[in-house]
């Protein structure tokens, strides 16, 4: 299917990607989502919106981000490993791509306040950045466990003028933060807008966030072709909710010779519920936060507890589009555990001078496995973010590799 037709068909007008997605929400929220959906179609396709967003991407975000060939990593493991450097996007991760889009839409809709959840704090920082840029209020809901783990990002959000709402129930991580942010949004859906942090949630969010992230894939495909004269054999991205992966995958969906690989966190091991977040590998279809997707579930069918060393990946659901791509066999999904992630974190830092986010280190670790198995192939990794936010946590809990010997 040509790319243009793919985007026309997925999602359909009810927000479905095959059997996944849709919107399973109370009627008040449904009305609001319809309003956002209509605004998205009428506003975001206008020449004014497109040219304003284009200018923001260039002058504020610093796009296009480069594609970089990893000399030493490729030499060590074989294969040809390239990175799409989303760590160089302003505020340090791919998330600003959709936050600037969502906030610009909010401004056009006359909203006063942006509300969101955050896990690693990256979405919160990106949204607080966007709110400051547009002069909008910003309220970020964050689990207490993540607040303790991600102090630098908490401080950044406050410096940028956002209000932090600590979430103290359940596991006090990402899922509970989403619940809490939804509640706050429902209290005043007219003046506020809920800015989801990934390609998840009820229609139209999975579509909107994907569309705002498409810039990553469009740039990367062109850049890779310009550098090598061909398309990559493999594209690799980590998958939490799936926004950075959808961003880069979306440009290659009509390229049958390019394989797409999503990488989920195996945490401390995939044998036990609560120790990982390998949703597409081990979940079953279910409903979470107003949409249908592969879902890690307990015996009662409720979302299961999840864990990963990377706070941005520990979500029991996953984007509906990834759920569909898995069933269509358009993309494959794999997992990488905490230790493999840490090893890759240090290796990329020391071989290439690039300190990756723990989330992105999952993608690098899988790319290295692919390179070892396929030394003749090229691999384009979406390096979704930089690792500055993770340094304290890693050094306190793991230390330097040489100290272990
Ligand atoms: C949030 C985050 C992710 C995970 O989110 P996706 O929606 O799956 O992309 C990955 N990498 C970084 C650096 C993040 O901040």
């Amino acid at each position: 299917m040509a790319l243009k037709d793919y985007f026309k068909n997925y999602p359909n007008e009810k927000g479905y990607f095959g059997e996944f997605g849709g919107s399973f929400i109370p009627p008040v929220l449904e009305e609001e989502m319809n309003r956002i959906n209509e605004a998205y179609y009428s506003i975001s396709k206008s020449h004014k919106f497109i040219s304003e967003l284009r200018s923001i991407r260039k002058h504020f975000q610093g796009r296009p981000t480069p594609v970089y060939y990893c000399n030493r990593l490729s030499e060590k493991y074989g294969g040809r490993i390239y990175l799409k450097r989303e760590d160089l996007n302003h505020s340090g991760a791919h998330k600003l791509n959709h936050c600037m889009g969502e906030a610009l839409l909010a401004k056009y809709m006359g909203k006063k306040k942006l509300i969101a959840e955050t896990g690693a704090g990256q979405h919160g920082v990106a949204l607080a950045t966007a709110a400051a840029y547009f002069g909008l209020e910003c309220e970020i809901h964050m689990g207490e466990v993540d607040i303790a783990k991600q102090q630098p990002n908490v401080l950044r959000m406050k410096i940028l003028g956002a209000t932090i709402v600590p979430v103290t129930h359940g596991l006090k991580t990402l899922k509970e933060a989403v619940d809490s942010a939804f509640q706050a949004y429902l209290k005043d859906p007219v003046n506020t807008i809920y800015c989801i942090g990934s390609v998840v949630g009820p229609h139209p969010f999975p579509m909107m966030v994907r569309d705002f992230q498409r810039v990553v894939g469009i740039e990367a495909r062109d850049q890779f072709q310009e550098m090598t004269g061909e398309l990559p054999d493999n594209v690799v991205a980590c998958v939490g909710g799936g926004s950075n992966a959808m961003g880069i995958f979306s440009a290659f969906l009509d390229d049958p010779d390019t394989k797409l690989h999503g990488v989920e966190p195996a945490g401390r091991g995939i044998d036990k519920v609560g120790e990982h977040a390998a949703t597409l590998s081990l979940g079953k279809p279910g409903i979470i936060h107003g949409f249908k997707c592969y879902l890690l579930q307990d015996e009662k069918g409720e979302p299961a507890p999840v864990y990963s060393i990377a706070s941005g990946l520990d979500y029991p659901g996953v984007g509906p589009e990834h759920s569909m791509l898995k069933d269509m066999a358009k993309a494959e999904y794999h997992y990488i555990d905490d230790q493999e992630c840490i090893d890759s974190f240090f290796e990329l830092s020391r071989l290439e001078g690039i300190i990756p986010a723990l989330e992105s280190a999952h993608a690098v670790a899988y790319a290295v496995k692919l390179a070892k198995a396929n030394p003749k192939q090229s691999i384009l990794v979406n390096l979704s973010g930089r690792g500055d936010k993770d340094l304290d946590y890693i050094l306190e809990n793991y230390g330097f590799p040489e100290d272990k010997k």
Side-chain angles (χ1 to χ4, degrees):
M1 187 188 299
L3 263 191
K4 210 172 88 224
D5 294 325
Y6 177 91
F7 293 118
K8 217 179 267 169
N9 286 321
Y10 303 113
N12 70 13
E13 70 272 27
K14 292 236 146 56
Y16 279 91
F17 298 86
E19 67 166 296
F20 300 103
S23 68
F24 299 82
I25 48 181
V28 254
L29 199 53
E30 185 81 52
E31 269 171 47
E32 229 1 78
M33 290 299 137
N34 287 339
R35 229 165 272 147
I36 294 174
N37 192 34
E38 279 161 29
Y40 178 68
Y41 275 109
S42 58
I43 295 168
S44 79
K45 313 290 177 200
S46 75
H47 180 70
K48 191 159 174 271
F49 185 97
I50 291 169
S51 64
E52 191 168 347
L53 191 58
R54 192 174 288 154
S55 168
I56 288 169
R57 296 230 190 279
K58 181 170 173 191
H59 299 288
F60 182 63
Q61 292 184 234
R63 304 201 69 89
T65 57
V67 166
Y68 167 74
Y69 176 62
C70 293
N71 253 306
R72 297 184 64 209
L73 195 65
S74 305
E75 204 166 277
K76 180 163 178 189
Y77 292 109
R80 283 167 285 137
I81 303 175
Y82 295 77
L83 307 177
K84 174 63 172 165
R85 299 286 310 275
E86 288 304 294
D87 59 315
L88 295 177
N89 200 28
H90 177 46
S91 85
H94 69 287
K95 290 204 172 73
L96 198 63
N97 299 333
H98 61 253
C99 285
M100 293 309 287
E102 285 176 312
L104 183 61
L105 184 68
K107 190 185 94 170
Y108 276 65
M109 288 178 77
K111 304 282 184 181
K112 306 273 181 298
K113 186 177 183 179
L114 311 177
I115 297 181
E117 80 293 338
T118 195
Q122 292 297 93
H123 178 52
V125 169
L127 197 65
T129 302
Y133 179 96
F134 290 110
L136 298 164
E137 281 177 65
C138 184
E139 181 180 297
I140 303 294
H141 296 245
M142 188 169 187
E144 268 190 340
V145 169
D146 290 332
I147 289 180
K149 236 169 115 176
Q150 308 286 348
Q151 269 304 309
N153 274 347
V154 171
L155 295 179
R156 253 174 228 131
M157 285 185 268
K158 287 187 180 167
I159 289 168
L160 291 162
T163 306
I164 314 282
V165 179
V167 179
T168 57
H169 69 277
L171 288 177
K172 305 172 194 170
T173 60
L174 187 58
K175 183 194 156 285
E176 292 79 18
V178 177
D179 295 334
S180 171
F182 249 100
Q183 293 304 321
Y185 171 55
L186 278 179
K187 282 186 195 143
D188 184 11
V190 176
N191 293 305
T192 65
I193 186 166
Y194 182 42
C195 294
I196 286 183
S198 189
V199 285
V200 297
H203 183 60
F205 282 105
M207 168 185 72
M208 269 173 33
V209 172
R210 174 202 64 197
D211 289 353
F212 289 136
Q213 286 295 346
R214 278 181 59 195
V215 66
V216 177
I218 291 168
E219 286 176 7
R221 191 173 179 278
D222 278 355
Q223 290 166 315
F224 192 92
Q225 268 185 314
E226 198 175 296
M227 286 170 83
T228 67
E230 50 188 41
L231 289 172
D233 298 312
N234 302 279
V235 172
V236 179
C238 65
V239 176
S243 66
N244 87 87
M246 269 330 302
I248 197 156
F249 286 3
S250 59
F252 297 94
L253 289 169
D254 193 32
D255 297 323
D257 296 333
T258 299
K259 270 198 186 162
L260 306 175
H261 307 266
V263 186
E264 299 188 307
R268 300 190 194 99
I270 55 155
D271 306 331
K272 236 176 111 195
V273 175
E275 298 290 304
H276 64 85
T279 307
L280 285 159
S281 302
L282 297 167
K284 286 186 303 223
I287 289 167
I288 182 173
H289 294 137
F291 71 107
K292 185 174 176 191
C293 63
Y294 275 90
L295 178 67
L296 290 169
Q297 310 175 24
D298 63 16
E299 313 82 59
K300 289 188 217 128
E302 295 294 314
V306 283
Y307 160 82
S308 164
I309 186 173
S311 302
L313 300 182
D314 61 359
Y315 185 61
V318 67
E321 195 165 2
H322 286 292
S323 303
M324 176 186 79
L325 292 176
K326 175 190 156 84
D327 283 4
M328 287 176 162
K330 276 257 183 200
E332 289 173 14
Y333 297 88
H334 318 272
Y335 43 77
I336 285 291
D337 68 24
D338 283 1
Q339 191 58 51
E340 294 171 308
C341 163
I342 287 286
D343 294 344
S344 256
F345 171 87
F346 280 106
E347 189 146 76
L348 192 71
S349 301
R350 291 174 176 195
L351 285 180
E352 301 292 345
I354 297 169
I355 302 176
L358 284 175
E359 291 79 7
S360 325
H362 283 77
V364 176
Y366 185 73
V368 164
K369 283 191 178 177
L370 258 183
K372 282 190 203 162
N374 307 280
K376 291 222 159 59
Q377 296 190 3
S378 60
I379 304 168
L380 173 62
V381 180
N382 195 8
L383 198 77
S384 53
R386 67 175 183 229
D388 305 43
K389 68 187 173 59
D390 300 312
L391 304 186
D392 292 345
Y393 184 80
I394 291 171
L395 295 180
E396 263 165 44
N397 293 279
Y398 289 83
F400 291 104
E402 54 273 23
D403 296 342
K404 300 242 160 76
K405 289 183 184 130

